[in-house]
Amino acid sequence: QVRLVESGGGLVQAGGSLRLSCAASGGTSSTYALGWFREAPGKEREFVAVISWRGLTTYYRDSVKGRFTISRDNAKNTVYLQMNSLKPEDTAVYYCAADQDNDYHTYEFWGQGTQVTVSS
């Protein structure tokens, strides 16, 4: 069983930056792909970014490309999401998720989420 705990959310003005962290414990999370998802009020949860277990492959949703960067430190069992040039439409609860099979499709473990609010 993998436990994921997100941190780093908060309130920021448009154009600002935040860095989210997700600490993993239990299981062998260093061999899992790790992803970030977000859920805005009244909307479905959506994919934001994912990084392979070695950190060699990353994917992003189009709307965050060039602004967000996902990275990981397997020695610390932590994945990060650096968010720059934030926009009000980035406001959401951000969730970290672990993909045991590295298929970037099914995520077996989820964190509790951290709120990101971007003011205009």
Side-chain angles (χ1 to χ4, degrees):
Q1 189 75 10
V2 174
R3 182 170 180 255
L4 303 170
V5 180
E6 302 96 335
S7 61
L11 174 64
V12 64
Q13 289 189 332
S17 298
L18 282 174
R19 188 176 83 152
L20 305 183
S21 300
C22 174
S25 60
T28 53
S29 57
S30 62
T31 67
Y32 299 172
L34 295 173
W36 288 96
F37 291 73
R38 65 187 182 187
E39 186 172 336
K43 296 186 178 181
E44 293 186 354
R45 189 172 299 186
E46 63 183 19
F47 166 79
V48 176
V50 64
I51 187 167
S52 61
W53 73 275
R54 290 184 177 179
L56 299 179
T57 301
T58 58
Y59 295 103
Y60 299 89
R61 72 177 299 104
D62 287 345
S63 62
V64 308
K65 286 180 181 177
R67 300 189 298 122
F68 291 10
T69 302
I70 189 170
S71 61
R72 66 189 294 165
D73 184 339
N74 284 345
K76 297 181 178 179
N77 289 321
T78 300
V79 62
Y80 305 96
L81 186 68
Q82 178 67 44
M83 305 185 295
N84 299 327
S85 302
L86 282 162
K87 304 176 181 180
E89 51 264 43
D90 295 317
T91 294
V93 177
Y94 282 72
Y95 297 90
C96 174
D99 168 15
Q100 185 173 355
D101 298 323
N102 284 269
D103 61 7
Y104 309 143
H105 180 68
T106 302
Y107 293 79
E108 290 83 3
F109 306 103
W110 293 82
Q112 83 290 347
T114 185
Q115 177 70 47
V116 171
T117 303
V118 184
S119 63
S120 57

